[in-house]
Amino acid sequence: MRQKTLGKLFPYLLILPSLIILAGVVFYPIAASLLRSFQLEEGGWGLDNYIYFFTDPIQRRNILYTLQIVIVTVVLAIGISYFLAIYLRFSNSWASRMIGRLYLLPRFIPGLVAVNGMITVIRDSGLINRISRLLGMNLQLGLMYNGKGIVLMNLWFNIPFATMLMAAALSKIPDSTIEAARDAGAERFRILRQMILPLTYRDLFVAATFVFMSNISSFTTPYLMDGNNPQMMGISLYTQFNNGHYEKAAALSVIMFLFSVLSAAVYVYTNMKENEWEKGNG
């Protein structure tokens, strides 16, 4: 009886160290931040820290600005990546083969190095401006210290990653299926709408979820390229913490986590609806 009980407990004992580490580095910090977010700087407990971020005009603008940047990034990154992946999947030209070998290179460049390199190119006195002066112009892109530059940098980071996910999804579609549709007289747009999209809906939403979550709390890019007002939430969190407003910083971290949870809910929903989409019923 004793050996039987030990046999049942043995698998749980094997994963116990991993669970302890997971609890210490993931669950405990989340719980501690959540608890501290309800503490007030003047003492006591309440929702004042959360109310502050949704009633203060500056903080509310920071949240809306962050969501605007992230949503634009998601739409552009997924749109560009999807059609790039389709081109790589169904084209056999030398250009597609070359792009297929090179498109992941940005993923191997450290983020700080990539941002600094982009700044030297697009700032008003950067490489593009200097080249334009050689041609008798004074071209200033105006991409620094505003959201346009951040979106451009976000696309640099996210298009290769999203394209990789899309290319993996498209590779599962047999060539025979596409060829049969073409032999039956189906046009390219109809094949895309009625065959390729239903088979890759889930992967589209998965890629969008990861792009959203990776940008909602971004710090390096907005810290180096954005202006002082409005600020993305990652910078606002750093400012609150650096100024000693630890309770407000905890509340903002919880808000950012809730936005990520919402995107994770989309991921779960797409997994639940996958079968319906593939049958064309979703």
Side-chain angles (χ1 to χ4, degrees), residues 37 41 46 77 82 97 101 113 136 210 221 240 248 250 265 271 278:
S37 68
E41 293 183 6
Y82 192 70
R97 291 194 295 270
R101 295 187 183 99
V113 175
F210 282 113
T221 299
Q240 294 291 338
K248 287 185 173 63
N271 277 277
E278 290 183 353

Side-chain angles (χ1 to χ4, degrees), residues 19 23 27 37 45 62 64 79 111 118 137 149 152 174 185 198 240 242-243 256 279:
L19 291 176
F27 297 128
S37 68
W45 302 81
N62 289 342
L64 294 175
M118 182 68 74
M137 299 180 291
L152 179 64
Q240 294 291 338
N242 205 38
N243 291 335
M256 294 165 65
K279 294 176 182 177

Side-chain angles (χ1 to χ4, degrees), residues 20-40:
I20 293 174
I21 294 174
L22 186 65
V25 301
V26 177
F27 297 128
Y28 173 75
I30 292 175
S33 295
L34 181 63
L35 183 64
R36 187 154 196 176
S37 68
F38 293 104
Q39 295 179 356
L40 306 181

Side-chain angles (χ1 to χ4, degrees), residues 261-273:
V261 168
L262 289 175
S263 66
V266 174
Y267 171 77
V268 173
Y269 175 79
T270 56
N271 277 277
M272 294 172 62
K273 298 284 289 183

Side-chain angles (χ1 to χ4, degrees), residues 61-256:
R61 189 180 179 193
N62 289 342
I63 293 175
L64 294 175
Y65 176 69
T66 302
L67 291 176
Q68 177 186 353
I69 294 294
V70 173
I71 291 173
V72 171
T73 298
V74 170
V75 171
L76 291 178
I78 297 303
I80 295 172
S81 300
Y82 192 70
F83 286 102
L84 177 59
I86 289 177
Y87 174 69
L88 295 176
R89 170 64 179 83
F90 298 108
S91 175
N92 292 318
S93 65
W94 67 269
S96 66
R97 291 194 295 270
M98 182 64 68
I99 295 173
R101 295 187 183 99
L102 298 178
Y103 79 92
L104 281 176
L105 282 180
R107 299 294 300 174
F108 298 97
I109 300 176
L112 192 61
V113 175
V115 174
N116 182 67
M118 182 68 74
I119 290 174
T120 61
V121 173
I122 67 172
R123 65 184 178 186
D124 290 346
S125 59
L127 178 63
I128 293 178
N129 177 261
R130 293 197 294 271
I131 293 175
S132 70
R133 288 187 177 186
L134 294 175
L135 301 175
M137 299 180 291
N138 186 22
L139 182 60
Q140 295 182 345
L141 301 177
L143 294 176
M144 287 296 298
Y145 312 117
N146 57 61
K148 293 181 290 185
I150 296 178
V151 170
L152 179 64
M153 197 70 242
N154 287 344
L155 294 179
W156 162 277
F157 288 121
N158 291 284
I159 286 177
F161 173 72
T163 301
M164 179 179 64
L165 294 180
M166 293 295 98
L170 290 168
S171 66
K172 299 176 184 177
I173 301 176
D175 290 333
S176 57
T177 303
I178 305 299
E179 292 170 359
R182 287 176 177 172
D183 293 340
E187 299 178 351
R188 291 183 179 181
F189 180 74
R190 187 175 181 182
I191 293 174
L192 173 64
R193 182 171 59 88
Q194 295 187 351
M195 296 183 62
I196 297 177
L197 276 176
L199 293 173
T200 55
Y201 267 136
R202 173 184 172 273
D203 302 276
L204 271 172
F205 281 104
V206 168
T209 299
F210 282 113
V211 172
F212 182 93
M213 294 179 67
S214 65
N215 287 280
I216 194 70
S217 59
S218 61
F219 178 82
T220 303
T221 299
Y223 183 78
L224 295 175
M225 298 184 67
D226 205 4
N228 293 324
N229 185 38
Q231 297 176 331
M232 291 193 68
M233 285 193 289
I235 304 300
S236 180
L237 174 61
Y238 170 77
T239 302
Q240 294 291 338
F241 188 87
N242 205 38
N243 291 335
H245 303 307
Y246 304 118
E247 291 76 15
K248 287 185 173 63
L252 184 56
S253 66
V254 172
I255 292 172
M256 294 165 65

